[in-house]
Structure formats: structure tokens, C-alpha cells
Amino acid sequence: MCGIIGCVGRDDTVETLLNGLSNLEYRGYDSAGLAIGGGNLEVTKKQGELENLRAELDNNESSVSGTVGIGHTRWSTHGPPSDRNSHPHTDSDNRVSVVHNGIIENYQSIRDELTTEGITFTSDTDSEVVPHLIAGYLDDGLNPQAAFEKAVERIEGSYALAVIIEGTDAIFAVRNDSPLVVGAGDSAYFLGSDVPAFLDYTRDVVYLDNGEFAILRPDGWTISNQEGDNVTKNPKTVEWTAEQTGKSGYSHFMLKEINEQPTSLRQCISGRVDELKDAVVVEELDHLSHVDRVQFVACGTSYHAALYGAELLRDRDINSKAYLASEYATAPAPVTKATLVVGVTQSGETADTLSALREAQNRGAQTLALTNVVGSTAARECDHVLYIRAGPEIGVAATKTFSSQLVTLNLLVEHLARGRGRSTTNYELITALRNLPNQVQHVLDESNAQEVVDEYVGDNAFFFIGRGLNFPVALEGALKFKEITYEHAEGFAAGELKHGPLALVTANTPIFAVVTGDDERAQKTIGNIKEVEARDAPVVLITDGETEAERYADHVLEIPDSHQRVSPMLANVQLQLVAYHMADRFGRDIDKPRNLAKSVTVE
């Protein structure tokens, strides 16, 4: 949830940390802070966005400098956004400074114990117990490394911790269920909760696994396990460049990433769709064992992708269902060895999804991570992994990753169907997938979404409807809209409007209706459009023009004609643009919507 950056061995430690925090603001922006060490510790932190921290540093009478440092950008869990709840946190004597991502579940009992011993806490956070624990073990005579490891033994929950200690030119770190990655530069070493934290300085990375400790010093880094044994890990070179995580002239990361979809989709299908052989080839799935049932677990946008994937499988006569990961983790569905549980997670670090996958593994199911991030926790822990290849996504609201998830799910479905002896992939679908990037580009070039949304600024609520494969896209359209506009938006299966939601429909309730193809579902959706039209609600139609639905619409957002499984992806792009332009019209902070974070690493 929160962002962590650390560095050792650079002369410009403060600026390096600030740059890293800037690259991590998508992980949290309630507050930001940094601690500089090597000698005495100097901590500077401030509520609000990173610019507030920069201003505070500029206002300091004495310059802040040192050989080692850690930084943090926060998404609040324990305690509201404030200066005192900002990270880093320190002990009473300012000897130990800590940044933390995750939740310490037993913090209250530790806090009560330390309060009884005379410790005064200055924040509402769970994180503050850590520096006080470490300081106590230092007082007992332990060296910094031993004091850190002893403190970690006391805490329970999910955490990524980075610690610096007065008089020590080292960063001590550990992870448990929250991501941490080491960056190995030519003459400096870095720590981050995500690769963009230090991508300007190195692309050589080492991912920590659960229970692993790292120590970064000016002359190198070491990794050890919970038993104290050294762990040998060779750095891997990430393919992303620093330029890929910049805005490239766009007003917002979200708009940039919407426009990157033709490229990300080409990356997704490259080498996996063979039009000449009329086949889908996904080598990553070659070692799957026999599968007779598929369960998807996911959250948010990824859950909408899972709904889409589950319906595709059912259409191929494969038993399948999508579950909210947070519900599955506490009440898992029955599984067998022939059950495949697919965790759909953009980051590969979503706590609820990881918990659901672990529960499935414990019960004997095969697991597959469908994710974007190479080396993520889900990718490492699952039996199999299928990457969506969307490239880095910085905007909190998922766009290009959702499109790539839908395409990747089509590939998964065709692989599983072939393994079950179902009919082979048809030429029309293969052609449609190959044509999808160009058709998405056409939508981006020709969309009139900006003009359409100007007609509805100030309306009360916004409803999104669709049937079949268009239903998950309607849900996603509503989610994207509410995430970044802060306006009331809901998605419904089109046939459900008359079973309650129709009571809310007025002349000030625009209905965004997705109608593609000309089958029974399309015709029934037109009937639902007539129902809202009779209540004077304006209708915005997203359509490929295969029906006469346009005659009942106030505005039309057109998409190219395509395969019935691909058309929803094109409709999704129009809805992304609807959300973006409405949010822009309101002047919202589009890349950093309030109360949200890119990677939700708490349950």
C-alpha cells in the first residue's frame, strides 16, 4: 500500500530519496517523509503530497545530508493523515528510524507492554512499536543487526520494513507478505517496495521472499533467511526503462496508459497467437495438470476481468466461477487436485488475492497467477504464472492492465479448452485478437467521449449496463468512473434495472449502455434501454452498430465491429475515456484518487 525507498552509497542521498518517492506516489500520498543517517539521524516528514516534504526540507535552516537514507510515502491505515502519523517513525531518543508497509496485527499488545515500561508513543500508527522495540534491544546490548532481527521476531502480520540506526551506515530490511526489492547499482545500493523507486539508477534487481532479511551497506548487500543462513540470489535485469514510467507529454499517467493500450496488447499477444496455424500457443501453461474446474479469485478491476474469464470458460463447457478474493480467503470453495485456482492480480501483491491463493494451495488445488509483475509474490508462490505483459502502470486506476487481462484470459481459456478436447480456436477469434490493437487505436483516434461527457456534468448519478460479456465491462466502467470522478456511479446487469435500481432513474441519471452484436442479449438490452427512456433518462450507447439501438440513444460512442469476445474490450476503452474526461472536467487528481492506492497490500 505504502511506498518505501532506501539508498546507500550516493552523495546526493536526499535528492535520490525524493526522486524515488516521486516515482512511488501512486502507492500512497497521504504523507511523505525521509530519514538520513550515517551519523546522527535526521528525520523530516510532512502530511500531504511530496511537494510539502520538499518545501519543509527547503525551509530547514541546516542542510540535511548523510551517507544512508530511507523514505516513505503513506496510504493511511492506522491513524489519519497527519505529520505525527507520517513515516519514518523513531524511538524516544531518535536512534532508530523505521519505515513500514503493511499491518502489524499484534501492535496493540506490544504497545501496551511498552507503555507500561514507560515508553511514550507520539503517533496512532501500528508501525511505531518497531523502533521502540529495536531501541530496547540495543539497550540490552545487542548489536544493530541482532536488535533488528529480535524485534522482527516479536511482530506478527504483513510487513515490509526498512530501518536505519544511529552511527551505522547500513539499511536493515525484511519482508513478510509486503513486497521489497533490492536494486544493485554500480557504486550504490537501493531498496524499494517497487522497482520504479530506483529505476533511474539501476535496472538490476533482487526480489526478497517472505521471511528474508537484507542488509545494504556502501560496499554491498547480503540476504539471509529466518534461520540466519545467507541466501544467494543473482540480480535480474528488468525490461522497463525510466522513460517508460514518465508521462511522455500526457497530462496524466492515466491518459498515457489508456493510449498505450495498442502497444501493451501487441506485447500481450506477441508469440501467443498464430494466425497462420489458427492457434493459440501459451508455453507458460504447458505444464498444467488436468483441470476439470476453474476458480478465479480477484479484487476490484481484476475481479471484473475474472467475471469475464469465468463466463468465457462456461461458454466452452468448463466449470468455472469468479470469487471476490476477500470472501474466498475466509470461506473457500471446495477444491480437488483437478481444480485450478487463478489469482488475477495486476501487481501480484494484492493481499486478499494472495491469502485466497494460499488457502487454495493448502487445500490441494493447483494455482496460477495471472499478473503483470515479473517476480511478484503471486508469481513466485503459485504453481504456474501467466504474465499479461502490459508494462508498468503508474496511474492508480487500472486501464491498460485490465485490457491485457481480458486478452490473456482469452488465451488461457483456449488453452484449457484444447486440453479438454473442446473445439479448436476459430479463425474469427484469432483474427479479432490480432486486429484488436489497431481497432483500439481507432477508438482512441475517433472517440467523441469528451464531447459527450460535457453534456452530463452536474447530473445526480451515472448507471452502466450490459449483458453477458458486456456486464463485467459495465461494472468496470462504473468503477473507473467513481474512482476518479468521485461521482455516484453503479454498474448493473441490464436485466436487473427493473428489479429495484429503476427506482433511482430520473432525467438526471445518464445510462451508459453497452450493446454489441445482434443476438438475443443485444435485443434484450435494447428493451432495457427503452425502459429507462420511458423514465426520461438520457442514454449514451456504446455500440458496434449491429442493431437498431442507436435510434433510442441520445449519444453514441462507436466501436469497430469485431468478434463477440473482443467487442467488450473495445467498449471498455470508450468507457475509460468517459471516466477520464469527466474527471478532468471536474479537475480531479486523476492519477491519485483520494483514499486509494495502486497495490493494496493489506486485507
Side-chain angles (χ1 to χ4, degrees):
M1 201 84 69
C2 305
I4 291 173
I5 174 69
C7 70
V8 178
R10 288 187 63 87
D11 295 331
D12 56 345
T13 306
V14 171
E15 192 56 40
T16 299
L17 295 176
L18 289 173
N19 184 53
L21 291 177
S22 177
N23 293 336
L24 290 175
E25 275 196 291
Y26 65 95
R27 294 185 66 94
Y29 34 82
D30 292 339
S31 61
L34 52 81
I36 305 299
N40 294 330
L41 294 188
E42 298 181 84
V43 176
T44 309
K45 54 186 183 178
K46 203 69 180 171
Q47 178 186 350
E49 297 189 0
L50 184 59
E51 290 308 309
N52 295 350
L53 176 62
R54 287 186 180 273
E56 183 72 10
L57 288 165
D58 290 341
N59 291 335
N60 283 351
E61 294 183 3
S62 59
S63 61
V64 177
S65 62
T67 59
V68 59
I70 53 177
H72 188 273
T73 180
R74 182 174 185 246
W75 186 83
S76 303
T77 52
H78 290 68
S82 65
D83 287 353
R84 70 191 189 91
N85 286 333
S86 305
H87 294 225
H89 291 290
T90 61
D91 68 301
S92 303
D93 298 323
N94 204 46
R95 293 175 296 165
V96 180
S97 187
V98 175
V99 293
H100 167 226
N101 181 17
I103 290 179
I104 297 173
E105 295 174 356
N106 63 334
Y107 86 97
Q108 190 61 60
S109 61
I110 296 175
R111 183 173 179 134
D112 292 343
E113 173 190 323
L114 293 174
T115 300
T116 301
E117 294 174 0
I119 299 297
T120 299
F121 285 81
T122 60
S123 78
D124 304 313
T125 70
D126 55 333
S127 310
E128 194 186 347
V129 300
V130 178
H132 291 298
L133 282 174
I134 295 172
Y137 291 126
L138 289 173
D139 289 339
D140 291 342
L142 296 182
N143 63 46
Q145 179 179 347
F148 172 62
E149 293 175 355
K150 188 72 172 177
V152 171
E153 290 180 10
R154 291 288 312 278
I155 63 177
E156 300 171 2
S158 63
Y159 49 82
L161 292 168
V163 175
I164 59 175
I165 298 174
E166 183 181 57
T168 304
D169 59 350
I171 298 174
F172 302 92
V174 66
R175 74 152 287 178
N176 186 58
D177 291 340
S178 289
L180 269 183
V181 57
V182 173
D186 292 334
S187 58
Y189 303 94
F190 305 88
L191 186 76
S193 50
D194 206 349
V195 173
F198 49 73
L199 199 56
D200 291 320
Y201 310 103
T202 182
R203 294 168 57 199
D204 295 331
V205 305
V206 175
Y207 295 94
L208 297 187
D209 288 313
N210 277 345
E212 290 185 340
F213 293 80
I215 302 178
L216 280 64
R217 302 184 187 276
D219 58 353
W221 50 272
T222 58
I223 295 175
S224 59
N225 58 26
Q226 291 172 307
E227 289 72 38
D229 300 322
N230 285 339
V231 177
T232 300
K233 291 193 170 187
N234 296 319
K236 298 180 180 179
T237 301
V238 298
E239 296 179 359
W240 303 348
T241 64
E243 290 74 17
Q244 283 180 286
T245 60
K247 291 182 182 177
S248 302
Y250 289 96
S251 300
H252 299 93
F253 280 115
M254 182 179 179
L255 184 59
K256 171 179 178 278
E257 288 154 6
I258 289 173
N259 280 275
E260 285 177 341
Q261 286 176 114
T263 298
S264 62
L265 292 170
R266 290 188 183 97
Q267 292 172 175
C268 179
I269 65 176
S270 177
R272 294 168 164 176
V273 175
D274 191 330
E275 197 168 359
L276 293 177
K277 294 182 179 179
D278 190 20
V280 166
V281 180
V282 189
E283 293 180 357
E284 298 98 311
L285 302 177
D286 285 346
H287 300 293
L288 274 177
S289 300
H290 171 71
V291 173
D292 64 11
R293 177 182 301 175
V294 179
Q295 297 172 354
F296 291 97
V297 291
C299 307
T301 288
S302 294
Y303 175 67
H304 300 154
L307 288 171
Y308 171 92
E311 178 149 349
L312 290 184
L313 283 170
R314 290 193 296 270
D315 286 344
R316 303 303 292 273
D317 297 323
I318 297 175
N319 189 318
S320 181
K321 186 174 180 180
Y323 296 84
L324 289 165
S326 56
E327 295 294 322
Y328 188 98
T330 54
V335 300
T336 69
K337 291 183 178 180
T339 303
L340 177 65
V341 179
V342 181
V344 186
T345 162
Q346 182 278 137
S347 66
E349 304 293 349
T350 308
D352 287 321
T353 305
L354 291 173
S355 292
L357 288 166
R358 288 164 184 159
E359 181 62 30
Q361 283 183 319
N362 290 338
R363 294 165 67 89
Q366 294 184 79
T367 55
L368 168 69
L370 195 145
T371 186
N372 191 40
V373 181
V374 176
S376 59
T377 301
R380 296 196 307 275
E381 292 189 359
C382 284
D383 301 311
H384 311 277
V385 59
L386 182 57
Y387 292 112
I388 68 172
R389 301 177 179 174
E393 186 176 68
I394 304 303
V396 168
T399 51
K400 66 178 182 176
T401 52
F402 179 67
S403 297
S404 293
Q405 284 173 339
L406 298 188
V407 171
T408 308
L409 285 165
N410 271 279
L411 305 179
L412 172 63
V413 167
E414 293 311 305
H415 179 91
L416 293 176
R418 187 172 69 249
R420 291 286 298 276
R422 301 295 187 250
S423 58
T424 58
T425 306
N426 61 62
Y427 177 77
E428 288 76 15
L429 175 60
I430 293 290
T431 301
L433 290 172
R434 297 279 295 188
N435 289 341
L436 179 60
N438 289 335
Q439 289 188 320
V440 168
Q441 188 63 60
H442 177 80
V443 173
L444 293 170
D445 292 341
E446 302 298 329
S447 176
N448 57 323
Q450 184 170 8
E451 292 77 17
V452 169
V453 300
D454 284 344
E455 298 291 325
Y456 301 109
V457 174
D459 280 346
N460 299 354
F462 303 81
F463 287 178
F464 296 74
I465 63 173
R467 284 178 183 261
L469 293 174
N470 290 328
F471 170 48
V473 168
L475 292 176
E476 176 61 13
L479 177 63
K480 212 56 53 199
F481 196 93
K482 71 180 73 174
E483 280 181 321
I484 63 171
T485 69
Y486 310 156
E487 299 296 307
H488 181 199
E490 296 295 338
F492 301 101
E496 285 297 298
L497 272 182
K498 58 185 177 291
H499 296 292
L502 200 59
L504 300 174
V505 171
T506 71
N508 298 115
T509 313
I511 310 295
F512 291 83
V514 184
V515 180
T516 58
D518 190 19
D519 58 8
E520 183 182 6
R521 285 172 170 171
Q523 294 301 324
K524 287 184 178 296
T525 306
I526 292 174
N528 303 130
I529 290 173
K530 293 178 182 178
E531 292 167 1
V532 300
E533 184 187 43
R535 276 77 179 174
D536 297 323
V539 174
V540 179
L541 181 70
I542 301 91
T543 185
D544 53 11
E546 291 296 299
T547 66
E548 76 282 5
E550 294 184 20
R551 65 189 295 182
Y552 306 109
D554 295 272
H555 295 90
V556 176
L557 298 172
E558 297 179 351
I559 62 172
D561 182 32
S562 188
H563 191 278
Q564 62 180 352
R565 285 164 56 170
V566 173
S567 294
M569 306 181 206
L570 297 166
N572 171 64
V573 177
Q574 288 283 24
L575 294 180
Q576 290 173 346
L577 292 168
V578 164
Y580 173 82
H581 289 301
M582 184 66 84
D584 193 43
R585 182 74 166 73
F586 282 121
R588 305 301 192 209
D589 195 352
I590 291 174
D591 288 331
K592 296 176 288 185
R594 67 188 181 200
N595 302 331
L596 302 179
K598 185 65 178 171
S599 179
V600 185
T601 57
V602 295
E603 295 181 73

